[in-house]
């Protein structure tokens, strides 16, 4: 989200898109909710159809995008490359955080049910779990509870971590440390993008 604000380009989060469908009570949302609450991954077909239709919209075509939470499997990465042809991703960023910190952060995370703004038990909204941005209710995500977190981390190791080597082999990977303050992590990501831009002689694709 912060990276997309920095470059003023669309932030496309598959998790946010799915949560919006859940909230609207669409058939997709009803199906997604059960899986998401358990920390399971949704099917590659469903995810990539959703992503393909978002990537076909004019704002993305004109300005580029930050894709967040996708791909999560090698199959999704292959499908994404096909969708983007004749272009490709400029860069994927692997944000490294030690597992014990991931567990702590997820368990402490609280989100606004309306706009998705993130808080934590140590940095709550100013007034009584009411979102500072939009006034929505701030709650713990069902999939930030212990059992679902454990499952999400298991699936990350098995299905998502192999993407690190996959993108490295294609020279599309930057790794940044995700520890420390959010501003510091954003700065590291911006540096990674700028390094890539410099290597390309000032150009992103
Ligand atoms: P996130 O907000 O990115 O953590 O996503 C929340 C949940 O949505 C995940 O735990 C999955 O259940 C589902 N989800 C989001 N993105 C994907 C994806 N690319 N592939 C499969 N499931 C996804």
């Amino acid at each position: 989200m912060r990276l997309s604000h920095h470059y003023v380009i669309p932030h496309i989060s598959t998790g946010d898109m799915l949560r919006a469908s859940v909230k609207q009570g669409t058939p997709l949302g009803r199906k997604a909710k059960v899986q998401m609450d358990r920390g399971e991954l949704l099917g590659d077909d469903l995810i990539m159809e959703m992503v393909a239709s978002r990537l076909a919209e004019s704002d993305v075509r004109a300005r580029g995008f930050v894709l967040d939470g996708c791909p999560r499997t090698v199959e999704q990465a292959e499908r994404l490359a096909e969708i983007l042809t004749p272009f490709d991703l400029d860069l994927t960023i692997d944000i490294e955080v030690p597992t014990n910190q991931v567990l702590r952060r997820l368990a402490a995370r609280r989100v606004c049910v309306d706009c998705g703004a993130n808080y934590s038990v140590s940095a709550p909204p100013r007034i009584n779990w009411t979102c500072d941005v939009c006034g929505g209710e701030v709650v713990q995500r069902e999939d930030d509870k212990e059992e679902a977190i454990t499952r999400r981390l298991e699936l990350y190791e098995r299905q998502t971590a192999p993407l690190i080597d996959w993108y490295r082999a294609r020279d599309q990977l930057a790794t940044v440390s995700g520890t420390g303050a959010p501003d510091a992590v954003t700065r590291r990501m911006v540096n990674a993008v700028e390094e890539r831009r410099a290597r390309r002689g000032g150009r992103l694709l």
Side-chain angles (χ1 to χ4, degrees):
M1 181 69 100
R2 285 163 172 263
L3 193 61
S4 66
H5 282 172
H6 180 90
Y7 287 105
V8 198
I9 55 177
H11 172 242
I12 303 176
S13 153
T14 43
D16 283 354
M17 288 162 90
L18 292 166
R19 281 184 288 277
S21 304
V22 170
K23 210 167 149 203
Q24 286 159 12
T26 64
L28 163 66
R30 282 196 292 275
K31 187 171 153 194
K33 185 173 182 345
V34 181
Q35 299 281 89
M36 290 169 77
D37 285 355
R38 291 190 190 135
E40 298 293 336
L41 291 181
L42 275 80
D44 293 331
D45 284 343
L46 184 151
I47 294 289
M48 295 319 292
E49 273 164 33
M50 195 174 79
V51 168
S53 72
R54 179 66 186 91
L55 290 179
E57 287 177 32
S58 57
D59 58 337
V60 169
R61 299 252 149 200
R63 290 163 43 218
F65 57 90
V66 172
L67 186 56
D68 178 357
C70 180
R72 269 172 150 105
T73 65
V74 170
E75 170 72 22
Q76 290 181 17
E78 284 168 350
R79 302 265 288 271
L80 181 62
E82 275 166 34
I83 292 167
L84 294 173
T85 303
F87 301 102
D88 205 347
L89 293 177
D90 290 307
L91 193 64
T92 57
I93 304 182
D94 171 30
I95 305 169
E96 283 189 336
V97 183
T99 307
N100 61 350
Q101 264 195 48
V102 173
L103 284 171
R104 235 184 302 128
R105 281 190 194 175
L106 291 179
R109 177 164 67 176
R110 300 293 182 269
V111 297
C112 170
V113 293
D114 289 331
C115 74
N118 270 249
Y119 301 90
S120 80
V121 285
S122 57
R126 277 172 297 145
I127 303 161
N128 197 26
W129 298 107
T130 301
C131 180
D132 291 340
V133 180
C134 76
E137 189 190 358
V138 173
V139 301
Q140 182 172 37
R141 270 168 52 169
E142 204 53 48
D143 60 346
D144 280 343
K145 297 186 177 161
E146 198 176 330
E147 226 171 280
I149 293 175
T150 308
R151 180 67 181 148
R152 285 162 68 198
L153 291 179
E154 233 173 64
L155 288 172
Y156 172 80
E157 286 303 330
R158 202 174 333 139
Q159 310 247 56
T160 309
L163 287 173
I164 296 173
D165 282 341
W166 200 86
Y167 279 115
R168 187 181 291 121
R170 285 159 182 76
D171 191 26
Q172 287 179 305
L173 184 80
T175 301
V176 303
S177 161
T179 58
D183 280 347
V185 179
T186 307
R187 209 163 36 244
R188 286 176 212 135
M189 288 197 280
V190 169
N191 287 343
V193 173
E194 291 308 315
E195 269 170 35
R196 174 61 50 140
R197 198 203 288 272
R199 261 177 60 188
R200 292 243 180 91
R203 232 170 8 91
L204 292 178
L205 284 178

